[in-house]
Amino acid sequence: MSYPQNPWQQGGYPQSGTPSGGFPQQAPGGYQPHPQNPFSAPPVPVHEMAVPRRPATVETAFWIAVVLPLLVTVLNVVSYLLLQGWVQDSIAGGTDEDLAAEMSSAVNGVMMVFFIVLTIFYLILTGLWIAFGFKLRAGRNWARVTLTIFAGFWAMSSVGTLGSGGVAAGMADGDALPGSYYALSYVQGGLGVLGTVAFVVLVFMSASNAYFDASRPRY
């Protein structure tokens, strides 16, 4: 008499229909794929993930945009102090002490107002140069164009300073200003011309052009 075959014999467990001894087959490398989340953000293209390397030309132009305006502002303060000392010495040379004191007070007031206004103007320009300089360093082409326009006006102003031999040349009945004042005026003018020309050349060299093109956003 025969009996039905015991399904729990010959291996102990029924076959589940999966290879490798009953375990589900995995993807190569042990990674089990999962369905993509429909709510996840799309992957970022490879060309947008790559950050272009900043060339030395842009880095040097950035430091010119930061250091040069600060240096010229400091030299402008020194020029004011030299001019103020010269004016005070010229007024003190008069015979009437009371009149000299009144003139000194009036001249000091006018010079102080002029100096404050000029210093605020220089500080605003310096702040703009530095702020746009950081954008330039980050590869923003609009910052390069804006600073190039600034550099053009600065260069023309500096050329005018060099040509006139100083902003306040010939003051006080033709008496010569101190030589240190003239020298400082020429230094400011020379720095303005050389610095701005170097800046424009650096930001439009081939390495800089490639950097700004690579940093331009792709839509």
Side-chain angles (χ1 to χ4, degrees):
M1 183 176 184
S2 61
Y3 296 93
Q5 186 176 1
N6 189 347
W8 304 104
Q9 292 179 355
Q10 297 181 357
Y13 299 95
Q15 297 291 330
S16 59
T18 57
S20 304
F23 294 97
Q25 187 177 7
Q26 296 181 347
Y31 175 75
Q32 184 68 26
H34 295 280
Q36 185 178 3
N37 186 359
F39 300 101
S40 61
V44 181
V46 178
H47 69 275
E48 293 186 7
M49 296 178 62
V51 178
R53 183 178 180 181
R54 187 183 308 113
T57 53
V58 175
E59 190 70 22
T60 305
F62 163 75
W63 285 111
I64 291 177
V66 171
V67 175
L68 185 61
L70 289 173
L71 180 58
V72 171
T73 301
V74 172
L75 292 178
N76 182 64
V77 174
V78 176
S79 297
Y80 166 77
L81 295 176
L82 290 173
L83 187 60
Q84 185 186 42
W86 175 82
V87 170
Q88 294 301 319
D89 292 340
S90 299
I91 294 176
T95 56
D96 192 344
E97 294 182 358
D98 294 335
L99 180 60
E102 292 179 3
M103 290 181 59
S104 176
S105 177
V107 171
N108 277 336
V110 173
M111 291 185 64
M112 180 60 67
V113 171
F114 178 76
F115 171 72
I116 292 175
V117 172
L118 190 62
T119 302
I120 292 175
F121 176 73
Y122 270 97
L123 289 177
I124 292 175
L125 286 180
T126 299
L128 291 176
W129 268 91
I130 294 176
F132 292 159
F134 278 100
K135 294 298 183 180
L136 171 88
R137 195 180 188 214
R140 302 296 182 265
N141 188 63
W142 63 264
R144 175 173 65 161
V145 174
T146 303
L147 289 181
T148 300
I149 296 174
F150 283 5
F153 285 112
W154 191 353
M156 290 188 293
S157 175
S158 299
V159 169
T161 300
L162 292 174
S164 64
V167 177
M171 287 180 58
D173 297 331
D175 291 340
L177 291 167
S180 56
Y181 181 84
Y182 284 111
L184 206 55
S185 296
Y186 283 119
V187 169
Q188 287 180 270
L191 285 175
V193 173
L194 296 177
T196 53
V197 170
F199 174 83
V200 173
V201 171
L202 286 170
V203 296
F204 283 98
M205 293 183 69
S206 57
S208 300
N209 292 332
Y211 173 70
F212 286 106
D213 290 339
S215 301
R216 186 173 302 169
R218 302 292 192 267
Y219 300 101

